[in-house]
Amino acid sequence: MDFTQLRNIISRYCVGEEIWVDSRTVYIGHKEPPPGAEANIPQRYPDNRIVSSKYTFWNFIPKNLFEQFRRIANFYFLVIFLVQLIIDTPTSPVTSGLPLFFVITVTAIKQGYEDWLRHKADCSINECPVDVVQQGKVVRTQSHKLRVGDIVVVREDETFPCDLILLSSSRHDGTCYVTTASLDGESSHKTYYAVQDTMAFRTEQEVDSLHATIECEQPQPDLYKFVGRINIYKDKEEPVARPLGAENLLLRGATLKNTQHIYAVAVYTGMETKMALNYQSKSQKRSAVEKSMNAFLIVYLCILISKAVINTVLKYAWQWSPDRDEPWYNHRTENERQRHMVIRAFTDFLAFMVLFNYIIPVSMYVTVEMQKFLGSYFITWDEEMFDEELGEGAQVNTSDLNEELGQVEYVFTDKTGTLTENNMEFIECCVDGNVYIPHAICNGQILSAASSIDMIDSSPGGYRREHEDLFFRALCLCHTVQVKEEETVDGIKRGIHQGRPTSFYISSSPDEVALVEGMKRLGYTYLRLKDNYMEILNKDDEIERFELLHVLNFDSVRRRMSVIVKSSSGEYLLFCKGADSSIFPRVVSGKVEQVKARVEQNAIEGLRTLCVAYRRLSESEYQEACHHLNEAKLALQDREQRLAQAYDIIERDFVLLGATAVEDRLQEKAADTIESLHKAGMKVWVLTGDKMETAAATCYASKLFRRSTQILELTKKRTEEQSLHDVLFELNRTVLRQRSISGLSVDCLDFGLIIDGATLSAVLKANQERAGSGNYREIFLEICRNCSAVLCCRMAPLQKAQIVKLIKASKEHPITLAIGDGANDVSMILEAHVGIGIMGKEGRQAARNSDYAIPKFKHLKKMLLVHGHYYYIRIAELVQYFFYKNVCFIFPQFLYQFFCGFSQQPLYDTAYLTLYNISFTSLPILLYSLVEQHITMETLKRDPSLYRDIAKNSLLRWPVFLYWTCLGVFDAVIFFFGAYFLFDNTTFTSNGQLMTTNTQMMFGNWTFGTLVFTVLVFTVTLKLALDTHHWTWINHFVIWGSLLFYVIFSLLWGGIIWPFLNYQRMYYVFMQMLSSGPAWLSIILLITVSLLPDVIKKVLCRTMCPTATERAQSNRPCLTVEPSTIFMLSQSSSRMSF
């Protein structure tokens, strides 16, 4: 055996390295490793074809039908249709088949069109040209032909065709600039790095001569995580292994900027790229309205079965007597007489099911989907929710939750970037207790014109020059800020000052830009990073160069970052900055008490604070640190954990230098928005990673806490003084005692709770470990229920999601909303019933993963109080109205069976059965559900308490549902018996036909059914007209137009002999009915009597016990036509004022 191969096996399996199960090996340029290296095991990878479409030409029909019939309602109507085909039923299969076909066809066309658009987009992406290096030459090919291992050439402003590892670039330092706006929305330029062993390659021939393999993890969707290493083979030497991380990985969809060209190797292609993996669908959220709708559907299904059972039983009870066996005109055949009783009864049961099945509204689902889809454009077109600074308006990522915006009970919000602007202003710094306050710097823009440095020394003892210089150097070196000479944004060059180019700082963190700019105003200017050397200009106008050796990146767990640099004198320095809670425990010397006092004072004032420390490293200590870092970076398994352990070993024994204070101002109208949400009955929780004092100050400024609010603390500091058990029970007694004293007065119960992440973990952990000694979780929830506002500070991203999940799972099952702007808020946004992302400065991860995205926090007020209110009112009326009109439709058919010997004779003509839900009554309710405004927008914004009237799904509760159902039954009884008594007195005419004595109208089954149906259509349409508060010409056109359409259709249907019909039972029926004057009077009388109870009920309720909404309606001025409402339905627009 080759000893080199044996040594590789031993080093891989016996020197403490784990077996790599979830890894892949990429052969750069498809070259096999040299002899003696590990065996070349070919692996199959997908091509670079992107497939976002759902269907193909061949599987569209079967796959789409399968998905549609998975819905219970569609499957139910399919069964009914098949029953009509199989057995002899009283109605034609067309009556069920046509509506079902209409629903299935409309849905299929919509989904097919959307998929066709996806196919077109896929083709344009897959066929775009790509340059690949093959045998030392650049060959142009199509994107979908790329394979893992291909070396790709990408030029400036081109998009990366797949996930690539950067090998070299046209820049001498081996870096390239990339924008990831299409991935996470961040428009700033990010820097990516080539491995030092390949960064010198400049030509295709040099790149093609590279002999290397890449070992990396299998594809996973995290955009910001990558673990791998590159093994470079040089002659017969041992391969050189270099670590690869996220800073080396260029993601598909990102764009190359300010770099002429790069060479990179494909590692993930096609549907395995991180972009494609992130397009996987998220878990489906269901609204409370949808759940209520399904519950009502089950009730109506039970009513349907009950009707069929009752009629089946009564039919056989009726036919028990021999003389009533069958009517003379409908004798059964011998085969039917010999059929078993059970089979006959089951067949009759199915026939009655078919006859009454229209009580289940199949078209309701299509109407609800159309209402949600079209209604979502109101948010997108709302000009009041358009932000001029961003140039963007609100976005709707899912329209399934529109009505849920009107049901929110808990709002969970992030602080930084959500309540605040995330626009940092450097306020001051403190070095050994000495305070320095420069002129205000805000994200790279000097807010004052003064050029001198204004420093206030609040310490009578002065300061040491050495620590001052070290502190300023630390802030100039410990960051990831990029320096640009100028930047063009929308044709305007930034960074040009008085005609000369000046440095312009950009970073993914606004804090870092504010700190570096603050140091510039204090005399220390960060110049550039060149050839791995960081250059700064000190107060004496001398350039200092520090070699950047290692960067210990910031993460939300450590809450700090560090750099290891080497000064020009050869001294190794470790600079660290981070949260006070992560720095103070690692400090061994320095003026800790003075700095801590200043940090606490700044936190109370609402400023964001960071502590700065350093440590000098000896040569041996530096080598040991390099060993720990390199060992962790080369690991393919558990790299993050190993890096965390290495950081923990290196970042210790610090000397404290000082602290900084940066202000993040409240967003415009943030306080007004929170106050409005409180008045609307919502409880607002702030979940933040900031320290308690800073977050509390922001809560007071945003009016989450008032000065009269009694603050309850459940923090680590308090639980150290008392046990967690004692603190919880003491707080619980406090809120319960106050509630018992105040009785029903809500104003007295103004408590605010502050809890930190450590205590929350203890509460949840104790609940699991000590279940027998008290349920801490329930006690904690009881305290929270009695608090008007809650502040959760020092929260990790996962804890934010745990808080949301805890409230969701409480016994009240409240509707929750989470809003945030950063990647650390994604977990709680996905966990909440409704997730809203802010288009902030921390990227677009939150906006991409949310259900809705808005530019600013202030827009949440209109989204909930106006749009949410309207959406819920509209869809609640839509659902109740659909069930109501179908009860009115079918209950006369049920009553009719008592008068036709339970013979399953239909009351209505087939055309009426088919078109009732499709044509005659569909458009008015759809339009109502799109444009109804029962209260003006100004009133809803002015009086947030109106939101309480629709809280807790109040319009879809069981009492309201029963009222609508009973109203439908009452109206149906009026229709049926009103027409019945009208036909009560009949005589024979000379030609043997029946004629009513009192109306002189031809009497017959279809005349009776047509009269009932006419009253039915007019009553349900006028009922909707009475419920309409906001009238436009479109309302008038649709409501009166639908009634006119019914009349015209009936005249044509019965007035013309249609050649395609075998028999025409409705011929001249409608005209005969309308020719009778008393029939007209009867129709008007029956419509009036049917509508009267609902009108009386509304008048009495508004007079005796009006709701806040009804009082607002009675006080409002006359509504005018909203041009935006007309505009939405009359023409296409990219935006709309609604």
Side-chain angles (χ1 to χ4, degrees):
M1 176 184 282
D2 189 348
F3 286 99
T4 305
Q5 187 173 356
L6 178 63
R7 184 167 59 250
N8 288 337
I9 295 174
I10 292 173
S11 65
R12 180 164 180 170
Y13 292 100
C14 302
V15 189
E17 189 155 347
E18 300 174 14
I19 300 175
W20 307 329
V21 179
D22 297 324
S23 65
R24 64 168 54 184
T25 302
V26 178
Y27 299 92
I28 298 179
H30 307 288
K31 296 177 183 177
E32 297 183 7
E38 295 183 15
N40 178 13
I41 304 174
Q43 301 180 45
R44 294 178 63 112
Y45 303 115
D47 60 18
N48 199 39
R49 195 184 309 273
I50 284 291
V51 181
S52 64
S53 56
K54 195 174 183 180
Y55 307 103
T56 65
F57 179 79
W58 305 107
N59 71 7
F60 173 73
I61 292 178
K63 190 173 182 180
N64 185 265
L65 288 178
F66 173 74
E67 290 183 351
Q68 291 206 56
F69 285 119
R70 288 172 64 186
R71 299 186 69 169
I72 295 176
N74 290 346
F75 182 74
Y76 163 78
F77 276 94
L78 176 64
V79 171
I80 292 294
F81 176 65
L82 294 176
V83 168
Q84 287 179 295
L85 290 176
I86 295 170
I87 68 171
D88 183 20
T89 56
T91 57
S92 168
V94 175
T95 58
S96 292
L98 189 60
L100 181 63
F101 176 77
F102 173 77
V103 170
I104 296 297
T105 303
V106 169
T107 307
I109 291 173
K110 172 179 171 289
Q111 294 177 351
Y113 175 71
E114 291 173 349
D115 205 61
W116 177 71
L117 294 179
R118 287 192 288 266
H119 270 286
K120 284 186 63 178
D122 291 346
C123 284
S124 64
I125 292 173
N126 293 330
E127 294 176 3
C128 69
V130 176
D131 292 332
V132 179
V133 177
Q134 292 180 358
Q135 299 178 352
K137 297 180 180 179
V138 176
V139 178
R140 176 149 289 197
T141 183
Q142 290 183 331
S143 176
H144 69 90
K145 295 180 180 179
L146 278 180
R147 294 183 300 155
V148 171
D150 283 345
I151 299 174
V152 181
V153 183
V154 182
R155 293 176 174 79
E156 186 173 5
D157 293 327
E158 289 184 352
T159 301
F160 301 128
C162 59
D163 290 352
L164 306 164
I165 291 294
L166 179 61
L167 297 177
S168 68
S169 78
S170 58
R171 302 174 67 90
H172 293 288
D173 56 359
T175 62
C176 69
Y177 293 107
V178 172
T179 58
T180 57
S182 61
L183 296 173
D184 56 15
E186 295 187 32
S187 57
S188 60
H189 292 187
K190 298 178 180 177
T191 307
Y192 288 82
Y193 303 88
V195 179
Q196 65 183 65
D197 301 80
T198 63
M199 60 186 287
F201 295 152
R202 292 288 178 268
T203 65
E204 291 82 12
Q205 292 77 14
E206 290 178 348
V207 174
D208 193 53
S209 66
L210 176 63
H211 213 166
T213 61
I214 292 175
E215 294 174 281
C216 60
E217 62 186 357
Q218 293 291 359
Q220 50 99 2
D222 192 339
L223 297 176
Y224 309 99
K225 179 185 176 185
F226 176 75
V227 176
R229 67 182 173 207
I230 183 171
N231 302 306
I232 303 170
Y233 298 91
K234 297 180 179 179
D235 299 329
K236 295 183 180 180
E237 300 176 7
E238 287 290 317
V240 178
R242 301 293 183 193
L244 297 174
E247 68 277 5
N248 310 112
L249 182 68
L250 306 171
L251 300 178
R252 176 175 192 145
T255 306
L256 184 66
K257 291 289 185 182
N258 290 1
T259 309
Q260 290 182 1
H261 66 268
I262 63 161
Y263 296 100
V265 59
V267 288
Y268 303 133
T269 54
M271 299 307 292
E272 290 187 343
T273 58
K274 290 182 179 288
M275 182 183 73
L277 293 175
N278 272 276
Y279 286 158
Q280 303 295 331
S281 59
K282 302 187 287 288
S283 59
Q284 186 71 25
K285 296 181 180 180
R286 295 175 60 207
S287 68
V289 170
E290 186 179 350
K291 295 174 184 175
S292 297
M293 196 164 65
N294 291 337
F296 298 160
L297 196 66
I298 292 173
V299 171
Y300 271 61
L301 188 59
C302 294
I303 293 174
L304 170 63
I305 295 172
S306 302
K307 282 184 176 181
V309 170
I310 292 171
N311 276 266
T312 304
V313 172
L314 291 177
K315 176 178 181 176
Y316 283 90
W318 169 264
Q319 295 178 356
W320 192 257
S321 175
D323 58 332
R324 294 177 180 171
D325 186 21
E326 283 289 340
W328 60 270
Y329 53 84
N330 191 23
H331 278 299
R332 287 179 294 176
T333 63
E334 193 62 29
N335 288 334
E336 289 175 335
R337 291 179 181 276
Q338 292 177 358
R339 199 181 294 171
H340 194 276
M341 172 71 74
V342 175
I343 297 176
R344 280 190 291 155
F346 181 69
T347 305
D348 286 327
F349 170 77
L350 292 178
F352 280 118
M353 287 282 289
V354 169
L355 187 63
F356 301 139
N357 83 88
Y358 302 96
I359 196 173
I360 307 294
V362 63
S363 58
M364 179 177 68
Y365 288 92
V366 177
T367 308
V368 167
E369 283 190 7
M370 292 175 66
Q371 188 269 348
K372 290 184 176 183
F373 175 72
L374 296 174
S376 63
Y377 283 97
F378 287 131
I379 291 178
T380 307
W381 292 337
D382 192 336
E383 288 186 345
E384 290 184 17
M385 299 175 71
F386 183 83
D387 186 70
E388 296 291 343
E389 181 183 349
L390 289 175
E392 293 184 81
Q395 296 176 1
V396 178
N397 298 328
T398 175
S399 59
D400 293 336
L401 302 172
N402 292 344
E403 64 276 6
E404 207 80 331
L405 294 171
Q407 294 297 295
V408 175
E409 298 172 60
Y410 281 81
V411 175
F412 299 93
T413 175
D414 179 41
K415 184 182 79 70
T416 306
T418 304
L419 290 179
T420 59
E421 292 181 348
N422 204 12
N423 200 22
M424 307 303 173
E425 178 184 343
F426 182 81
I427 301 299
E428 67 171 49
C429 59
C430 167
V431 183
D432 287 342
N434 304 317
V435 180
Y436 303 85
I437 305 178
H439 286 290
I441 314 295
C442 186
N443 274 16
Q445 305 300 315
I446 302 173
L447 300 184
S448 64
S451 58
S452 63
I453 298 175
D454 177 25
M455 292 187 292
I456 299 175
D457 186 355
S458 63
S459 172
Y463 56 85
R464 292 182 302 168
R465 178 64 182 263
E466 180 188 4
H467 268 201
E468 176 194 302
D469 291 341
L470 281 171
F471 177 84
F472 293 150
R473 289 191 183 99
L475 290 176
C476 285
L477 298 172
C478 188
H479 56 74
T480 57
V481 171
Q482 301 172 26
V483 183
K484 295 181 68 65
E485 293 303 319
E486 62 182 52
E487 183 176 83
T488 302
V489 180
D490 297 331
I492 302 172
K493 287 188 175 182
R494 300 179 63 185
I496 302 295
H497 182 63
Q498 295 178 350
R500 296 176 299 171
T502 59
S503 60
F504 179 79
Y505 297 129
I506 58 173
S507 173
S508 58
S509 169
D511 295 77
E512 290 193 329
V513 173
L515 291 175
V516 174
E517 281 285 4
M519 292 305 100
K520 184 177 181 180
R521 296 297 297 148
L522 288 172
Y524 282 77
T525 304
Y526 172 59
L527 297 177
R528 67 185 65 85
L529 172 64
K530 184 177 181 182
D531 298 330
N532 223 35
Y533 279 87
M534 302 182 79
E535 298 180 0
I536 61 175
L537 185 69
N538 62 23
K539 294 171 70 172
D540 300 324
D541 288 336
E542 297 173 349
I543 295 179
E544 301 178 4
R545 300 180 82 241
F546 293 84
E547 182 181 1
L548 180 61
L549 302 172
H550 292 284
V551 177
L552 283 60
N553 290 315
F554 175 86
D555 64 68
S556 58
V557 178
R558 286 167 45 244
R559 298 180 60 79
R560 60 182 180 272
M561 76 161 289
S562 303
V563 294
I564 300 177
V565 297
K566 185 178 181 180
S567 66
S568 55
S569 62
E571 186 179 25
Y572 294 100
L573 295 169
L574 169 65
F575 291 115
C576 181
K577 70 178 181 186
D580 58 324
S581 59
S582 65
I583 297 292
F584 285 143
R586 296 176 177 271
V587 168
V588 294
S589 64
K591 295 186 178 181
V592 178
E593 294 304 320
Q594 293 93 322
V595 174
K596 184 180 288 187
R598 192 67 191 177
V599 166
E600 291 177 354
Q601 180 180 340
N602 287 332
I604 292 172
E605 294 174 4
L607 303 178
R608 294 165 61 86
T609 58
L610 285 177
C611 293
V612 182
Y614 86 106
R615 174 188 170 195
R616 284 188 169 89
L617 300 176
S618 64
E619 180 70 30
S620 60
E621 288 174 330
Y622 170 69
Q623 293 299 332
E624 183 182 359
C626 287
H627 172 73
H628 287 305
L629 290 172
N630 291 333
E631 190 179 61
K633 288 179 179 179
L634 285 172
L636 286 185
Q637 287 283 327
D638 302 323
R639 178 181 290 186
E640 290 184 353
Q641 291 85 337
R642 296 188 185 190
L643 279 174
Q645 294 170 3
Y647 294 162
D648 185 64
I649 294 171
I650 297 167
E651 294 173 326
R652 58 179 57 183
D653 301 331
F654 286 132
V655 177
L656 184 64
L657 292 174
T660 63
V662 174
E663 183 180 17
D664 187 9
R665 294 181 176 176
L666 275 181
Q667 283 194 19
E668 180 190 4
K669 297 183 179 179
D672 174 66
T673 302
I674 287 182
E675 191 173 21
S676 297
L677 298 182
H678 274 307
K679 290 179 179 177
M682 297 176 227
K683 294 190 175 182
V684 182
W685 291 32
V686 174
L687 312 181
T688 178
D690 280 355
K691 63 183 303 179
M692 186 181 81
E693 293 81 5
T694 304
T698 303
C699 289
Y700 278 110
S702 62
K703 297 184 180 179
L704 185 74
F705 294 158
R706 297 178 176 83
R707 295 302 168 188
S708 60
T709 302
Q710 182 179 344
I711 302 299
L712 308 175
E713 289 188 16
L714 187 56
T715 58
K716 184 179 179 182
K717 180 180 179 181
R718 185 167 181 185
T719 53
E720 287 175 351
E721 299 171 356
Q722 295 177 266
S723 68
L724 177 63
H725 179 274
D726 293 342
V727 174
L728 279 172
F729 277 87
E730 181 181 334
L731 293 178
N732 194 33
R733 281 195 299 270
T734 301
V735 296
L736 291 179
R737 186 187 313 117
Q738 181 65 33
R739 187 171 65 178
S740 63
I741 292 173
S742 60
L744 298 176
S745 176
V746 180
D747 297 333
C748 300
L749 300 174
D750 193 12
F751 288 108
L753 177 67
I754 299 178
I755 182 172
D756 57 19
T759 312
L760 175 67
S761 297
V763 169
L764 299 180
K765 185 178 179 182
N767 187 70
Q768 297 169 356
E769 294 180 352
R770 302 178 55 187
S773 61
N775 195 334
Y776 289 169
R777 179 179 300 186
E778 287 302 320
I779 298 172
F780 171 68
L781 287 173
E782 185 63 31
I783 296 170
C784 293
R785 288 188 198 103
N786 290 281
C787 293
S788 58
V790 178
L791 166 63
C792 303
C793 51
R794 298 296 195 193
M795 302 291 288
L798 186 60
Q799 287 182 311
K800 293 184 178 183
Q802 288 176 336
I803 281 284
V804 177
K805 188 174 182 180
L806 188 67
I807 298 300
K808 275 176 63 179
S810 61
K811 60 184 181 182
E812 297 90 358
H813 298 291
I815 304 299
T816 58
L817 179 146
I819 180 170
D821 71 318
N824 60 334
D825 303 315
V826 170
S827 55
M828 74 169 180
I829 285 174
L830 294 177
E831 183 63 44
H833 292 95
V834 182
I836 296 183
I838 299 284
M839 302 170 188
K841 299 181 179 179
E842 295 185 14
R844 296 295 174 90
Q845 300 96 316
R848 284 192 303 109
N849 287 278
S850 63
D851 304 306
Y852 303 88
I854 55 177
K856 293 287 190 295
F857 182 77
K858 66 179 181 180
H859 297 134
L860 183 65
K861 177 180 177 180
K862 187 174 184 183
M863 177 167 274
L864 297 184
L865 302 185
V866 178
H867 289 292
H869 199 120
Y870 283 157
Y871 282 139
Y872 179 75
I873 288 289
R874 293 164 180 170
I875 202 165
E877 177 87 8
L878 185 151
V879 172
Q880 299 281 27
Y881 178 79
F882 252 98
F883 285 113
Y884 158 78
K885 72 185 183 72
N886 279 37
V887 169
C888 292
F889 181 42
I890 287 303
F891 199 72
Q893 179 72 71
F894 173 74
L895 296 175
Y896 185 60
Q897 295 307 304
F898 288 85
F899 295 86
C900 68
F902 307 100
S903 61
Q904 300 153 9
Q905 168 67 31
L907 177 62
Y908 311 117
D909 180 63
T910 301
Y912 290 159
L913 286 170
T914 306
L915 298 178
Y916 176 73
N917 279 315
I918 294 178
S919 300
F920 298 149
T921 60
S922 57
L923 275 182
I925 184 58
L926 176 61
L927 186 73
Y928 175 95
S929 65
L930 288 173
V931 302
E932 170 63 3
Q933 296 181 25
H934 63 302
I935 303 178
T936 61
M937 284 188 280
E938 290 71 22
T939 305
L940 289 175
K941 286 188 286 188
R942 187 174 61 250
D943 188 2
S945 63
L946 297 174
Y947 193 88
R948 296 173 183 260
D949 280 358
I950 62 169
K952 298 185 182 297
N953 206 14
S954 61
L955 299 183
L956 288 174
R957 290 178 182 168
W958 289 107
V960 182
F961 168 71
L962 291 175
Y963 168 76
W964 279 86
T965 302
C966 293
L967 183 64
V969 171
F970 172 82
D971 289 349
V973 170
I974 296 297
F975 304 157
F976 183 84
F977 286 105
Y980 174 78
F981 289 120
L982 181 66
F983 281 98
D984 192 32
N985 192 4
T986 60
T987 60
F988 283 98
T989 61
S990 58
N991 59 0
Q993 292 180 317
L994 283 172
M995 177 177 286
T996 57
T997 306
N998 49 351
T999 65
Q1000 297 300 304
M1001 184 171 62
M1002 298 301 298
F1003 177 79
N1005 174 61
W1006 301 116
T1007 307
F1008 178 71
T1010 302
L1011 179 61
V1012 173
F1013 191 81
T1014 302
V1015 177
L1016 161 69
V1017 170
F1018 274 79
T1019 300
V1020 297
T1021 304
L1022 292 175
K1023 167 74 171 76
L1024 189 64
L1026 288 174
D1027 287 347
T1028 301
H1029 298 87
H1030 181 65
W1031 284 92
T1032 66
W1033 67 264
I1034 296 183
N1035 291 79
H1036 287 288
F1037 176 78
V1038 170
I1039 288 179
W1040 312 126
S1042 64
L1043 294 177
L1044 183 62
F1045 171 75
Y1046 164 71
V1047 174
I1048 293 174
F1049 173 84
S1050 298
L1051 290 172
L1052 293 176
W1053 183 244
I1056 299 175
I1057 299 177
W1058 299 99
F1060 55 84
L1061 295 177
N1062 294 328
Y1063 55 91
Q1064 198 161 342
R1065 55 196 175 194
M1066 291 295 293
Y1067 181 69
Y1068 210 66
V1069 170
F1070 194 73
M1071 284 74 75
Q1072 178 68 27
M1073 184 187 75
L1074 294 184
S1075 64
S1076 170
W1080 281 84
L1081 183 61
S1082 301
I1083 291 172
I1084 295 172
L1085 180 62
L1086 292 177
I1087 292 173
T1088 305
V1089 173
S1090 299
L1091 295 175
L1092 193 60
D1094 190 48
V1095 173
I1096 294 174
K1097 178 254 181 187
K1098 287 181 178 179
V1099 171
L1100 290 177
C1101 288
R1102 287 172 181 269
T1103 305
M1104 306 291 291
C1105 51
T1107 62
T1109 301
E1110 290 166 346
R1111 285 193 294 270
Q1113 287 173 339
S1114 60
N1115 294 333
R1116 69 175 180 173
C1118 239
L1119 278 174
T1120 57
V1121 175
E1122 292 281 348
S1124 60
T1125 305
I1126 311 304
F1127 189 55
M1128 192 280 288
L1129 294 172
S1130 60
Q1131 61 176 304
S1132 301
S1133 173
S1134 60
R1135 202 184 313 120
M1136 173 183 188
S1137 175
F1138 179 82

